[in-house]
Every structure is written in C-alpha cells, then in structure tokens.
Amino acid sequence: SGLLLAAVAAGLWWVLRNPMFTIGQITVTGDTRHNSAASLRAAVEPRLKGNFFTLDLGAAQAAFERAPWVRKATVRREFPNQLLVQLQEYEEAAFWGSEEQGFRLLDKEGVIFEANPDEISRENLPELDGPDEAAPQVLAAWRELNPLFSPLHSRITRLAVDERGSWTLVFDQETTLK
C-alpha cells in the first residue's frame, strides 16, 4: 500500500509539474471596446501564478477586474491549458469631479470608476460632482432635471452638490443656477 501511495503521489507531482498544463492560452471575449484582448492578456498574464490545476481563479478574476474599464470578469478553465475570460466593461454616463481635481468617470448605475477620461468624447456627457457617496443621487437628479430644459433648447452640462447640500447647475449657454 505504501508503494501504491508513492505511485499516486509521483503521478500527482508529475501532473502538477508537467509543462503541458501551464496556462498557454488566454481567450478574452465580451466587451473589449476600451481594452484590446491582447493588451489585457499582456497586462494580466505576469500576475497569474500556477498552472491549469493550481491557478487561483479568484485571483485571476481580480487581476482582470483591476484593468481600466473592466466592471466584471468571469474566468473559467478549459482543459488542458486554457483560460476563458468573459468581460463586462463600464458604460460611461458622466464625468465625475472637476477639472482641478482631475475627472473620473461615472457609469450608468452611478458607480465611480477609474479610467482615462480623455478617451471619451466630451460632447454629450455631463460633468457631475459632489461627495463620492452622492454619485448615484447626483446622476439621478441630472436625469430628472435635464429633460425639463429641453423645451428651452438648453441642457445641463454640469450639476454639482456640495457637502452642505447646495446644488449648482450650469447650462450649455454658460448660465449658472445655484
């Protein structure tokens, strides 16, 4: 029985160390408008530790989700040496912050995320600002208020709330309402 146990252990050691099971291919699908599959693979691959059997999928998922624009990553193994990664990117709804602080981006659910705001056209996205925890409320207020000014051929280009709860609206004609 000791011999059988040694044989099983040797077989297991061989499987875990065999180069055939080293992750050789990473296939990225899903939303890749802001990140190319090749650049994501190149950025994440050095952080992946282990082979097909020993790779921590949670750590791999976290590595992909640290990439700019990536909201959610689903990572699966495919035998014998492949990872399949399905990505979901954030959809930008507004700029968050101010020019002085450096803009971040806000997604359609009001979640602030880090990405390069210069990759976005400034034409239709409003600038919203306030305490970070107020982001969903500020976005909801903009969505509610902006259509009200449509009959006046105007739109809100900036909406901000400060710590005291004071609101500032800036319209596309440079009119400011506090």
Side-chain angles (χ1 to χ4, degrees), residues 27-41:
T27 303
V28 178
T29 59
D31 296 338
T32 54
R33 287 172 310 215
H34 296 98
N35 289 302
S36 76
S39 68
L40 275 170
R41 278 194 299 270

Side-chain angles (χ1 to χ4, degrees), residues 94-106 112-118 122 127-130 132 158:
F95 291 98
W96 182 256
S98 66
E99 198 81 50
E100 301 81 43
Q101 300 167 327
F103 284 113
R104 292 177 287 166
L105 292 167
L106 195 62
I112 300 167
F113 66 99
E114 299 289 337
N116 184 357
D118 295 334
R122 288 191 174 266
E127 296 175 4
L128 306 179
D129 195 10
D132 285 355
R158 181 164 178 79

Side-chain angles (χ1 to χ4, degrees), residues 22-150:
T22 300
I23 300 298
Q25 185 176 358
I26 301 172
T27 303
V28 178
T29 59
D31 296 338
T32 54
R33 287 172 310 215
H34 296 98
N35 289 302
S36 76
S39 68
L40 275 170
R41 278 194 299 270
V44 172
E45 202 164 15
R47 290 189 245 152
L48 300 178
K49 304 289 182 227
N51 65 18
F52 181 83
F53 297 105
T54 61
L55 178 72
D56 179 351
L57 288 181
Q61 177 181 340
F64 277 98
E65 289 176 350
R66 277 195 292 276
W69 291 100
V70 176
R71 183 172 154 256
K72 186 174 189 310
T74 305
V75 181
R76 296 181 312 140
R77 294 179 177 102
E78 186 158 301
F79 194 77
N81 64 354
Q82 187 174 356
L83 279 184
L84 302 177
V85 182
Q86 175 79 32
L87 295 181
Q88 223 177 26
E89 287 188 345
Y90 287 104
E91 287 185 57
E92 69 277 2
F95 291 98
W96 182 256
S98 66
E99 198 81 50
E100 301 81 43
Q101 300 167 327
F103 284 113
R104 292 177 287 166
L105 292 167
L106 195 62
D107 83 348
K108 294 185 181 289
E109 282 90 44
V111 174
I112 300 167
F113 66 99
E114 299 289 337
N116 184 357
D118 295 334
E119 294 176 16
I120 310 267
S121 164
R122 288 191 174 266
E123 282 179 33
N124 295 318
L125 290 184
E127 296 175 4
L128 306 179
D129 195 10
D132 285 355
E133 60 276 2
Q137 291 84 5
V138 176
L139 179 60
W142 179 83
R143 284 181 175 151
E144 196 172 311
L145 294 172
N146 194 49
L148 299 177
F149 297 95
S150 191

